[in-house]
Amino acid sequence: LANPTTDDNGDFSVTLNPQDLEDFTNFYIKVTLDNEAVKITDPGYRGRNIYFWKSSVINNLQNSTYDFGTLIMDDTFEIRSVMNMYHWIKEGYDFHLRTIGPIDQLDLIWEDNSTIGTYFDTFMSISSDHIDPDQFDSAIILHEYGHYIMFKNIGFPANSGGYHNLKDPSTVGIAYSEGYAHFISSQIRNESTYLNYKYKSEADNTLDYHGLDLESLELLSTGGGRTSLDNQDHGTMFSDRAKMEGYVAGVLQDLADSVVDGDDVFSGGFNRVNDVVNSSLLNSSVEFYDAFMNTAQDEDQRMLFWAIFEQNRQSFDYEVPTVTLVQLSPTIYTMEASDNVGITRTEWLISDDIVGTDSTIDISSLNLRDGIYDLVARAYDQEGDLRGNMERVAIHGANIIRNKAYGETSVIITPSSSNKPSKFNYFNSLEKPTIDPNMHLKGVLQNSDEDSSKIKTNLIVDIDDNEDIFIDGSIDGAMEMIELIDENGQIVRTIPRLDSYGATKITGLSKGKYTISLKTLEDIVNVPFYINIYTLPSVPNLDFAKMTNKNDLDFENTTNNIVKLIINGQSYTISLEQKITLYFDEGYNNIEYYSTLVNGTYQSDSKKIRIFVDSIVPTVELEEIRYSRGDYYFINFHISEIPSIFRVNGEEQFIGEFLDLHSYIIANPDTYMYTIYLEDSTGNVFEKTFNIESLIEPLKEENSKR
């Protein structure tokens, strides 16, 4: 009748037109989890359903004002779950509205006891494993909302998908993306700790937790355990700093918050940090460091910023000071020193001895004997990097004699005392894939050092019939695509990104020469990558043959690596490089799991063939019949496995990808007999007629009273 929206206190009111109420006197309130902030639905099989709660029916409502009072939702696991997720997403939405501005509605998917995982990928999915129910963890919900905020406002950094955790290095893209999500979660909750709770077991409701304190950079665990991130295997290695999401989260938090913490006496506020994040698509915390340092107003503020970055292991200052000697008089020199961050101290040296620390020195005050000396002016920056400028001078009495024979100025650089390299080397930190000994390595695409003459972006490979290509590697930059080009110059395949969890496989190629070409969105010289190209002979397809038992299979003679299989009297020839082993699997329900069954009967590599023995006939059970609205009813059938053919009374039915409960919709039903026909991909057939009269007549009678 109407669709009011509650205010922030949950209050609502609605006015109904009396003409609309002539046929209605009984009412109820339906609360739907769908508003400007978020829509929460189940995964859906034939369409996703929005979660809702319905109040009890108000009977005989008259033409007057009615106060529903305070509506208390049912205390069920489902209601508690969806309302907690709604609450925290609404908190995140309101935070974004206050600090940044409007943001689109989030699409959130959740289902009780689902283990599909908690992640964000254009929509949010929250896992509901009963041991680790993420729908009750505010930190995790808002962490994923942090990914949503980055996705909507600026986009994800390059190579930001893949496995990660709080204590180990991943990639610079993953660490930057995950660190930002931790930061957003902390800012919305106004808490510096990020905790993930889980039960000890389904039988034991005692809670364990682990997480991170963004202020102290400590890993947290049940019972108050605290371990510094620096104590991890990789924590203090400079090359891994930009790959640690905990360090990234810590520096973002310190730059924004007002907590005085060690060298952190700066309170920039959320917007100052977030404005830099959203200024351009940054691909790592190294790029964020440069961008944020550029916002400093003066040298004092640059030094303050650097101290905060350094405290969180995120300082990446690769510039050394510049020093110029200026002779003010025959005996007085001054040094002009500058640095992109700041100068921390200066030194004058003669014969490697420090003879002064001010910016100006008077040689005559040093009481030097007549002779030729090397006068060195050195300046240090905050990271301990230094640069010296030397001038060779001749001392005669109290005067300095300079002439072209020995008075030319030269520059020297003394190595830093720290273990920091002169430049953050993405190339050295690039993870190179291991070589699989069972595959044929055809070549490598690489830019794995800083020598631009060694960059290799194209590779020509010879492919035999039934040979597959595998592409495995890593890239620390924005990859546009990998193209596979045939001998005629035609692009036959494109790969938009590399698989984070294993090799990317290209199948179905005909014999010939192919060029594999890598394209990047950035200047190729600046993008480190190392990509192995393998090939592996594939096993030819067999037409699917239904087998009722293993005795229906036999061998004929095997010569020259040619194997003949006879299944139910039908002969199949397979050419293999190696000796084969047969595996038998009886009775699988989730047929979509074996993707190779679509075109054949095998799942194999060059060493084995898997024969699927399917003697199980699919079944259908009548689950329920329920009234929808008007004269529409749902007949729910439970199906034991996903069929190839599915008909109801001779009509083909849609088959969902993960279907196990099929809803058949009928209107004003006068037909009570429904014949279900199922056929699986192996030819097993089920057919049964259901009489629904005794089930649907009571529903029709009840509906007629409405």
Side-chain angles (χ1 to χ4, degrees):
L1 297 176
N3 292 290
T5 302
T6 66
D7 62 18
D8 288 343
N9 295 321
D11 296 331
F12 69 95
S13 64
V14 61
T15 301
L16 303 177
N17 191 329
Q19 284 75 25
D20 295 336
L21 307 179
E22 292 178 355
D23 299 326
F24 302 95
T25 58
N26 301 331
F27 296 83
Y28 63 86
I29 300 297
K30 180 179 179 182
V31 180
T32 304
L33 274 299
D34 181 7
N35 68 359
E36 74 279 1
V38 63
K39 177 173 65 177
I40 305 179
T41 66
D42 62 22
Y45 298 111
R46 290 181 56 80
R48 287 162 48 194
N49 301 304
I50 302 174
Y51 283 101
F52 66 89
W53 172 81
K54 189 168 71 173
S55 73
S56 57
V57 174
I58 310 300
N59 296 309
N60 301 317
L61 182 65
Q62 302 302 314
N63 188 8
S64 62
T65 299
Y66 183 83
D67 185 358
F68 281 92
T70 300
L71 298 173
I72 305 298
M73 291 186 171
D74 300 333
D75 188 19
T76 65
F77 183 81
E78 180 178 288
I79 291 295
R80 291 200 308 273
S81 297
V82 296
M83 289 305 297
N84 191 65
M85 289 185 289
Y86 165 76
H87 168 76
W88 286 109
I89 295 300
K90 184 64 164 60
E91 288 286 312
Y93 175 87
D94 290 342
F95 176 86
H96 193 282
L97 198 61
R98 291 193 308 271
T99 57
I100 304 175
I103 189 171
D104 293 339
Q105 181 191 57
L106 171 70
D107 193 4
L108 192 156
I109 296 175
W110 176 84
E111 186 177 39
D112 183 19
N113 207 26
S114 167
T115 57
I116 58 176
T118 296
Y119 59 88
F120 178 81
D121 185 5
T122 70
F123 63 90
M124 185 189 295
S125 170
I126 299 293
S127 176
S128 181
D129 184 329
H130 281 185
I131 294 179
D132 188 11
D134 287 345
Q135 72 268 26
F136 296 123
D137 284 339
S138 59
I140 291 179
I141 294 169
L142 292 175
H143 173 95
E144 299 305 327
Y145 196 70
H147 285 310
Y148 175 64
I149 289 175
M150 174 175 271
F151 171 72
K152 296 299 291 186
N153 289 330
I154 192 64
F156 290 133
N159 299 303
S160 57
Y163 176 76
H164 64 93
N165 60 50
L166 289 170
K167 69 183 184 67
D168 294 317
S170 52
T171 69
V172 293
I174 291 174
Y176 182 56
S177 171
E178 298 299 330
Y180 178 77
H182 293 315
F183 164 66
I184 290 291
S185 175
S186 174
Q187 289 288 299
I188 295 172
R189 292 178 294 112
N190 196 26
E191 294 181 11
S192 66
T193 55
Y194 172 85
L195 297 178
N196 179 10
Y197 290 91
K198 63 184 298 186
Y199 297 114
K200 288 186 178 294
S201 67
E202 290 198 40
D204 186 350
N205 286 334
T206 305
L207 283 172
D208 283 335
Y209 67 83
H210 70 276
L212 174 70
D213 187 330
L214 276 65
E215 287 290 348
S216 64
L217 296 182
E218 291 175 309
L219 297 172
L220 309 178
S221 58
T222 306
R226 287 178 172 265
T227 306
S228 172
L229 269 181
D230 288 347
N231 292 341
Q232 306 307 305
D233 291 342
H234 305 276
T236 57
M237 294 178 61
F238 185 86
S239 61
D240 286 334
R241 283 183 171 189
K243 298 180 180 181
M244 300 278 284
E245 62 190 71
Y247 289 150
V248 177
V251 76
L252 297 176
Q253 179 77 359
D254 276 353
L255 289 169
D257 67 18
S258 58
V259 178
V260 175
D261 172 27
D263 291 327
D264 172 21
V265 294
F266 175 74
S267 176
F270 170 78
N271 278 17
R272 178 156 187 171
V273 175
N274 203 65
D275 287 348
V276 174
V277 172
N278 292 332
S279 61
S280 62
L281 181 56
L282 307 174
N283 290 311
S284 69
S285 61
V286 181
E287 295 179 13
F288 174 81
Y289 169 85
D290 289 335
F292 197 88
M293 291 295 289
N294 287 336
T295 68
Q297 298 174 353
D298 51 35
E299 181 175 308
D300 288 341
Q301 195 169 68
R302 286 197 301 271
M303 296 287 283
L304 176 60
F305 289 173
W306 176 86
I308 297 173
F309 277 99
E310 176 64 16
Q311 178 171 293
N312 290 276
R313 319 295 183 261
Q314 289 293 291
S315 61
F316 302 100
D317 178 23
Y318 307 123
E319 294 188 29
V320 296
T322 59
V323 180
T324 303
L325 273 72
V326 179
Q327 189 175 18
L328 301 180
S329 73
T331 64
I332 298 176
Y333 276 82
T334 188
M335 73 170 81
E336 296 177 352
S338 63
D339 183 69
N340 63 313
V341 176
I343 300 296
T344 58
R345 75 179 193 270
T346 57
E347 294 174 343
W348 292 96
L349 294 89
I350 288 183
S351 301
D352 295 329
D353 293 326
I354 298 176
V355 294
T357 56
D358 295 330
S359 60
T360 302
I361 189 170
D362 186 347
I363 301 297
S364 64
S365 66
L366 301 179
N367 298 317
L368 298 173
R369 296 180 179 178
D370 290 355
I372 297 175
Y373 296 91
D374 290 334
L375 175 64
V376 176
R378 290 201 305 208
Y380 294 79
D381 68 11
Q382 74 295 332
E383 296 225 359
D385 296 322
L386 60 90
R387 171 166 293 191
N389 199 324
M390 180 186 74
E391 185 158 326
R392 183 157 293 176
V393 296
I395 304 295
H396 181 72
N399 295 317
I400 297 176
I401 300 173
R402 307 176 68 228
N403 61 53
K404 293 182 179 180
Y406 51 78
E408 294 178 353
T409 299
S410 60
V411 176
I412 60 171
I413 298 176
T414 305
S416 168
S417 58
S418 71
N419 65 349
K420 185 178 72 64
S422 60
K423 182 178 181 182
F424 184 84
N425 197 326
Y426 284 106
F427 297 87
N428 291 342
S429 64
L430 190 69
E431 295 184 9
K432 299 180 181 180
T434 57
I435 297 177
D436 189 334
N438 296 317
M439 295 184 175
H440 308 311
L441 181 63
K442 292 287 188 176
V444 176
L445 303 178
Q446 66 173 310
N447 184 21
S448 55
D449 55 40
E450 296 177 85
D451 184 353
S452 59
S453 66
K454 297 181 180 179
I455 298 176
K456 186 174 181 62
T457 59
N458 294 284
L459 181 69
I460 298 176
V461 295
D462 288 317
I463 302 298
D464 293 328
D465 286 328
N466 298 317
E467 195 170 29
D468 298 332
I469 294 178
F470 293 83
I471 300 176
D472 185 19
S474 57
I475 178 169
D476 271 339
M479 183 179 107
E480 180 179 5
M481 69 180 71
I482 291 178
E483 293 179 341
L484 191 69
I485 305 169
D486 65 16
E487 295 176 87
N488 298 319
Q490 299 296 314
I491 300 174
V492 294
R493 299 288 171 84
T494 58
I495 301 172
R497 63 180 181 179
L498 295 176
D499 194 328
S500 301
Y501 299 98
T504 300
K505 182 179 180 181
I506 302 176
T507 62
L509 300 172
S510 57
K511 185 176 182 178
K513 289 183 180 294
Y514 293 87
T515 299
I516 299 173
S517 177
L518 171 68
K519 298 182 181 299
T520 61
L521 296 175
E522 307 169 46
D523 183 356
I524 194 72
V525 174
N526 300 321
V527 180
F529 56 89
Y530 195 94
I531 301 170
N532 286 337
I533 310 296
Y534 303 97
T535 59
L536 182 69
S538 61
V539 180
N541 285 354
L542 302 176
D543 292 331
F544 193 90
K546 176 185 172 185
M547 295 179 57
T548 56
N549 58 68
K550 298 176 184 178
N551 295 329
D552 291 335
L553 181 142
D554 198 3
F555 289 94
E556 283 189 356
N557 56 341
T558 301
T559 59
N560 299 325
N561 293 328
I562 301 297
V563 178
K564 279 194 174 182
L565 300 180
I566 302 174
I567 305 176
N568 291 343
Q570 179 69 41
S571 178
Y572 302 91
T573 301
I574 305 174
S575 176
L576 295 172
E577 289 191 350
Q578 302 182 33
K579 187 176 179 179
I580 68 167
T581 305
L582 292 179
Y583 295 84
F584 296 90
D585 284 338
E586 166 68 47
Y588 44 88
N589 290 329
N590 297 319
I591 202 169
E592 80 280 358
Y593 177 77
Y594 302 106
S595 60
T596 52
L597 287 177
V598 175
N599 298 315
T601 62
Y602 73 95
Q603 178 177 321
S604 62
D605 55 23
S606 58
K607 295 181 179 178
K608 61 189 178 185
I609 294 179
R610 176 157 284 155
I611 303 295
F612 295 102
V613 184
D614 183 16
S615 57
I616 294 179
V617 176
T619 60
V620 175
E621 297 294 337
L622 180 60
E623 188 84 9
E624 65 172 345
I625 299 177
R626 58 187 177 88
Y627 166 71
S628 174
R629 56 193 172 121
D631 289 325
Y632 288 90
Y633 297 81
F634 287 106
I635 306 177
N636 288 339
F637 298 106
H638 181 78
I639 303 171
S640 62
E641 66 176 80
I642 295 179
S644 294
I645 301 174
F646 178 27
R647 301 190 185 104
V648 177
N649 286 350
E651 295 182 355
E652 293 284 345
Q653 299 296 304
F654 171 78
I655 302 172
E657 184 179 0
F658 301 103
L659 179 65
D660 66 355
L661 186 68
H662 177 77
S663 292
Y664 182 70
I665 305 174
I666 54 177
N668 194 17
D670 295 323
T671 301
Y672 301 120
M673 309 299 288
Y674 290 88
T675 300
I676 307 298
Y677 177 89
L678 291 180
E679 184 175 329
D680 67 16
S681 61
T682 67
N684 294 312
V685 173
F686 171 89
E687 188 169 13
K688 182 178 179 179
T689 300
F690 296 88
N691 187 337
I692 67 168
E693 182 176 4
S694 62
L695 297 174
I696 204 169
E697 280 302 315
L699 292 177
K700 292 174 64 178
E701 183 177 350
E702 179 182 345
N703 184 37
S704 66
K705 297 177 181 178
R706 304 188 187 195

